[in-house]
Amino acid sequence: MTAGAVQTSAPCAAVDLFDTEGEPLCFDLDGVLLQDAQVRTALVGEHKRPAPVLWLEVRPVHALVGSGRTIHVEQIYSEASRKQAEHKAASLKKGARVRITTTFHGMRTILPDVQAVALLA
């Protein structure tokens, strides 16, 4: 039996899924790593300070999410936790199955194969 790859936490009726205040809704996404994980340094936060970031390229395994698609995943670490990020990256090799837990906050979608754009009045 195959477990569902997308799992969500049920919010109460008054919760806005895209609300940036309060406790955000989390969901899990199962996938396969398309390449070895990497740790890069990125400018993060309001003051754009350098921080270690775990970078993953994941192919979801559930058709609802879009199997065959690629999802770029970033997990920010503090500078004091750089060794933890490097250790995590060393354990995440191409082909490994992973479960990503995330929120909708800050999510960005890129549509690389748009066929047409129409101006609406």
Side-chain angles (χ1 to χ4, degrees), residues 6-79:
V6 176
Q7 301 171 349
T8 61
S9 302
C12 64
V15 172
D16 177 354
L17 297 180
F18 300 98
D19 185 11
T20 57
E21 295 181 25
E23 192 66 31
L25 175 71
C26 288
F27 66 95
D28 292 337
L29 173 73
D30 291 353
V32 176
L33 292 179
L34 296 174
Q35 62 188 41
D36 294 353
Q38 301 174 25
V39 175
R40 298 186 181 183
T41 299
L43 300 176
V44 299
E46 182 180 330
H47 299 291
K48 301 296 182 200
R49 298 215 166 116
V53 178
L54 180 67
W55 283 43
L56 306 172
E57 296 295 325
V58 178
R59 172 149 297 139
V61 296
H62 193 280
L64 177 64
V65 178
S67 59
R69 303 200 191 303
T70 300
I71 296 177
H72 175 79
V73 175
E74 297 181 8
Q75 183 178 15
I76 300 169
Y77 285 76
S78 68
E79 190 57 50

Side-chain angles (χ1 to χ4, degrees), residues 33 37 85-93 96:
L33 292 179
E86 292 170 352
H87 181 71
K88 178 69 110 178
S91 71
L92 297 170
K93 300 296 184 187

